[in-house]
Amino acid sequence: SGVLAFMLLSNSLVLLALFLLIRLIPELRWRKRALLVLSVLAVFYFQPAVPIRNFDFWFPLITIALTLICWGVCCRDRSLPFQSHLPDLVLIFFVVLMVALTRLVSYKGILTASRPPLLSQSLPVLLVLAALTASVSLASRESSQRPLARALTILILALLAALKTPFAAQQLSAVLRGVSGQSADLAAAADLRWLGFSYIAFRLLSVSIDAGKGRKLTLNAGDFLTYVCFPSTLSAGPIDRADRFCKELNRESQLDTGVMAVGLQRIGQGLFKKFILADTLTMITLSAGNFDQFRSAGWAWLALCAFSFQLYFDFSGYSDIAIGLAKILEISLPENFNHPYRKPDIAKFWSSWHMTLTQWIRSYVFNPLTRRLRMKKNPPLPQWLIILCAQFVTMGLIGLWHGVTPNYLIWGLWNGFGLFIHQLYADRTKNRLSMLQEKQPLLFSLYSGFSILLTFVFVSLGWIWFVLPQPADALRFLSILFGGAS
C-alpha cells in the first residue's frame, strides 16, 4: 500500500504540473488539443502492469477504441462531413502510434508499464481501428443509429459483467493468456486490471443508452475522448455527464488565479484526507485479513467505525484531488460527497455518498424501472411493492457493480432494504415530524441526533458485507459485534 500511496501522490503532482502548463496556453483551441494529447497518454501511463503479456498496452487501446466507436455511433455531428472530424482523429491515432513506437527506444516501457507489443502486431490493429471508426461513423445514419447504439450498450454491459464476475474474468484471462502465448493454467480473475473501466463504462453507457432512445448529443471526437479519459477522473470518478463536461471544456475564460487557488486548496484537502486521515485509520480498521483476530465487541465496533471513516476519507480524498485538478483548468466537476455521515436517514446518506454514481443509477435504472412498474394495469402493483422492487434492483446493481459476488449483492440488498423501510417510515411520520420541529425544536434536535447515529450504525453494519469477502466471515464478525463467540 505504501507503493500505491507514493504512486498516487507522484501522479497527482505530475498531473498538477501538466495541467498548470496547459492552462497557461492562451488559445482555447490549442489548450484543448494539449489536453486531448494528455488524455490519450494518461490512459496508457496510468494503466498498471498486467500479468497477461502486452495487455498494459492493449487494455488502454481497447478503451480508446470503444470511446471512438461510441462517438461514431452516438455523438458524431452528421450535418458535418466526416472529413471535418479528421484533425482530432488523426491527432488521437498519432499519439497512440507514438506510444507504440516507444518499443524501439526502451526495453522496459516509457509510457506503458512494460514494453509495447511488436510493431507487426500493434500497427495492423491501429489500421483496423481507424477503418472501424470511419466505417461505423459513416454507417450510423439516423435510421440505424438506435440499433447500433443498443448493440454498443449490450457490448459494454457484457464487458463490465465479465470483468466483475470472478469466474468469467478467470476464463477470459485464460483465453487472453492463450492468445498471448502464456500458460492458461495460471489465469486468475485479478489478471484483468483494466484501468478505470468501471467508470469509463458508465460514461459510455450514459451516451449509448440515450442514443438508443433517440436522444441527440453532438460532440466532436476530441472533446468526447477527453470527457471519457479525462486524466484526473479516469480511475475513480466523479462520473460526469458528457454534455455538462464538454460545456465546461469549451467555455472561454480568462486565466483566473483565484479559481486556481481554490483548485490547489481542494487538492491539498484531498491529499490530507487520503494520506493523513485515511492511511492513519488503516492501522486499526477492519479488513479481510484481521477480522478473525477480534475477541471483544468493543474492539470490533472500533475497527468497524474506523473502516467506515477510512473508506470515506480515502474515497472522498480521491474525489477532492480529481475536482481540484480540474479546477486548475477552470473545469468544474460535479461533487461526489456531501458530508454523508451527518445525514439523519439512509435516503439522505445515499444522496450524499458517491453522488454521481447514485444520480446515474437513479436516471438510468431507478426512474425507468419505477415508471414501468407503475404502468402495469392488470392488476396494478401496490405502491409499496413498486418501491421495494425498485430499491432492491437498483441497490443490488450498485452492489454487483463493485463485483459479482454474494457479499456485494448482500451489501446492496441491505441498503435497498434500509431505503425501503425508511420510505415507509417517512411517509407515515412526515407530518408529525414537521409539527415536532415547529413546536418542540429541542426535542426535534435530539431526535435528529439519534437519527444520525442510527443511520451511521446501519450503514456501518452494511460495510461488513462490503469489506469481508465471504458471507460466513461477515456473519462471524457480526456475532462478535453483538457479543457472540468469536
Side-chain angles (χ1 to χ4, degrees):
S1 67
V3 173
L4 292 176
F6 175 77
M7 288 178 62
L8 171 63
L9 179 59
S10 61
N11 289 341
S12 299
L13 295 177
V14 168
L15 277 183
L16 174 59
L18 292 173
F19 277 17
L20 284 169
L21 290 173
I22 290 173
R23 187 60 191 88
L24 293 175
I25 299 173
E27 192 173 342
L28 177 62
R29 178 181 57 165
W30 294 110
R31 194 159 65 241
K32 284 173 54 182
R33 291 278 168 81
L35 184 56
L36 173 59
V37 170
L38 179 59
S39 297
V40 176
L41 293 176
V43 179
F44 290 94
Y45 183 74
F46 293 142
Q47 169 65 46
V50 177
I52 309 171
R53 185 179 298 124
N54 295 139
F55 266 82
D56 48 32
F57 177 87
W58 295 123
F59 278 148
L61 184 59
I62 297 171
T63 292
I64 292 170
L66 285 172
T67 301
L68 293 178
I69 291 169
C70 186
W71 166 79
V73 170
C74 306
C75 302
R76 184 171 80 81
D77 187 349
R78 288 158 186 83
S79 66
L80 299 175
F82 183 76
Q83 290 80 358
S84 64
H85 301 289
L86 285 179
D88 280 347
L89 292 172
V90 169
L91 180 59
I92 292 167
F93 280 100
F94 175 77
V95 175
V96 176
L97 177 61
M98 291 300 101
V99 174
L101 289 175
T102 60
R103 175 183 176 83
L104 302 178
V105 295
S106 172
Y107 286 95
K108 293 183 178 180
I110 299 174
L111 294 169
T112 50
S114 64
R115 196 181 186 195
L118 294 169
L119 295 179
S120 60
Q121 297 173 340
S122 59
L123 293 184
V125 172
L126 285 176
L127 291 174
V128 170
L129 174 56
L132 183 62
T133 301
S135 61
V136 166
S137 181
L138 293 172
S140 179
R141 304 301 181 188
E142 292 300 325
S143 59
S144 60
Q145 183 183 18
R146 289 192 183 190
L148 282 173
R150 288 168 182 164
L152 182 62
T153 298
I154 294 170
L155 173 62
I156 296 168
L157 286 172
L159 275 174
L160 190 60
L163 292 172
K164 295 294 184 179
T165 307
F167 176 77
Q170 183 177 5
Q171 297 304 306
L172 181 57
S173 173
V175 171
L176 297 179
R177 280 176 173 272
V179 171
S180 302
Q182 295 173 282
S183 172
D185 296 335
L186 300 175
D191 292 345
L192 304 184
R193 296 193 286 269
W194 190 340
L195 174 72
F197 188 75
S198 297
Y199 294 90
I200 290 166
F202 271 27
R203 295 183 191 109
L204 297 177
L205 283 171
S206 66
V207 173
S208 65
I209 292 171
D210 286 348
K213 294 178 178 178
R215 296 171 187 163
K216 300 291 189 293
L217 176 65
T218 56
L219 301 169
N220 63 53
D223 286 0
F224 187 67
L225 191 139
T226 302
Y227 155 69
V228 174
C229 303
F230 187 62
S232 73
T233 63
L234 190 56
S235 62
I239 305 169
D240 206 349
R241 297 293 294 264
D243 51 351
R244 202 209 69 84
F245 177 87
C246 290
K247 184 178 179 180
E248 289 284 320
L249 181 66
N250 287 283
R251 183 165 49 86
E252 290 278 5
S253 61
Q254 299 295 322
L255 185 63
D256 189 335
T257 55
V259 174
M260 297 174 74
V262 171
L264 290 172
Q265 182 180 9
R266 192 68 181 270
I267 294 168
Q269 177 180 317
L271 292 173
F272 177 78
K273 284 182 179 178
K274 164 61 184 167
F275 292 105
I276 304 300
L277 299 178
D279 286 1
T280 300
L281 285 169
T282 301
M283 294 185 291
I284 60 170
T285 191
L286 172 67
S287 71
N290 70 6
F291 78 95
D292 57 350
Q293 298 175 14
F294 294 98
R295 297 292 180 268
S296 69
W299 286 110
W301 277 105
L302 178 63
L304 179 59
C305 293
F307 175 79
S308 297
F309 284 107
Q310 185 267 335
L311 184 63
Y312 167 70
F313 289 131
D314 188 86
F315 198 0
S316 67
Y318 275 102
S319 295
D320 287 339
I321 294 169
I323 292 168
L325 285 168
K327 276 289 184 185
I328 300 299
L329 295 171
E330 299 184 33
I331 294 174
S332 295
L333 296 178
E335 293 293 335
N336 224 11
F337 292 88
N338 182 25
H339 307 294
Y341 288 140
R342 297 183 189 176
K343 305 307 176 186
D345 61 65
I346 188 69
K348 289 186 174 65
F349 171 85
W350 276 109
S351 295
S352 307
W353 177 282
H354 206 342
M355 294 155 61
T356 56
L357 172 63
T358 52
Q359 288 162 6
W360 194 101
I361 290 288
R362 187 179 296 119
S363 297
Y364 291 100
V365 179
F366 183 83
N367 291 339
L369 179 59
T370 52
R371 282 196 297 268
R372 179 158 300 207
L373 291 174
R374 287 191 178 111
M375 289 170 61
K376 183 174 172 56
K377 300 296 184 183
N378 294 315
L381 295 176
Q383 183 65 19
W384 69 265
L385 184 57
I386 293 174
I387 294 171
L388 178 65
C389 292
Q391 298 290 15
F392 269 43
V393 170
T394 52
M395 294 309 300
L397 285 175
I398 289 178
L400 294 175
W401 176 70
H402 291 87
V404 183
T405 67
N407 268 33
Y408 282 129
L409 177 60
I410 293 170
W411 171 77
L413 296 178
W414 170 267
N415 283 280
F417 175 75
L419 287 165
F420 170 68
I421 295 299
H422 164 72
Q423 185 67 52
L424 296 181
Y425 174 78
D427 290 343
R428 287 163 173 75
T429 60
K430 181 166 53 176
N431 294 334
R432 294 178 185 176
L433 291 176
S434 296
M435 292 177 60
L436 182 66
Q437 184 177 14
E438 180 181 348
K439 296 182 178 180
Q440 299 187 47
L442 178 59
L443 188 59
F444 181 79
S445 296
L446 292 173
Y447 170 83
S448 297
F450 175 76
S451 298
I452 291 170
L453 178 61
L454 183 63
T455 301
F456 175 76
V457 170
F458 182 86
V459 170
S460 295
L461 290 172
W463 291 135
I464 297 171
W465 303 98
F466 190 89
V467 66
L468 299 182
Q470 300 297 330
D473 299 339
L475 290 172
R476 181 177 176 186
F477 187 77
L478 279 167
S479 71
I480 298 171
L481 282 178
F482 294 100
S486 62

